[in-house]
Amino acid sequence: MNKRILIPTSNISEGVEFFLRGAKKRRSMAIASIRQVNANMGINIRPVAVK
């Protein structure tokens, strides 16, 4: 019986990767929303997200 040993490509678990992907998506959606509101109001400020 040859058991295949899977070597992880990173030291971050799948659950944590899923959580981080969701956070990244929500942050990018929030920035896009801010830019749209600012454009509608005629404000040209570049919002910066704190990570």
Side-chain angles (χ1 to χ4, degrees):
M1 289 187 178
N2 289 340
K3 290 187 176 180
R4 238 180 162 172
I5 299 173
L6 298 177
I7 300 171
T9 56
S10 70
N11 61 351
I12 300 174
S13 69
E14 291 179 23
V16 173
E17 285 181 358
F18 178 77
F19 178 78
L20 292 175
R21 266 195 312 262
K24 187 176 184 179
K25 183 177 179 179
R26 285 188 300 277
R27 183 171 51 239
S28 65
M29 288 172 54
I31 290 173
S33 177
I34 290 170
R35 286 185 178 153
Q36 182 180 15
V37 169
N38 285 346
N40 289 341
M41 295 175 62
I43 301 171
N44 292 330
I45 297 175
R46 293 189 52 97
V48 177
V50 178
K51 294 182 180 180

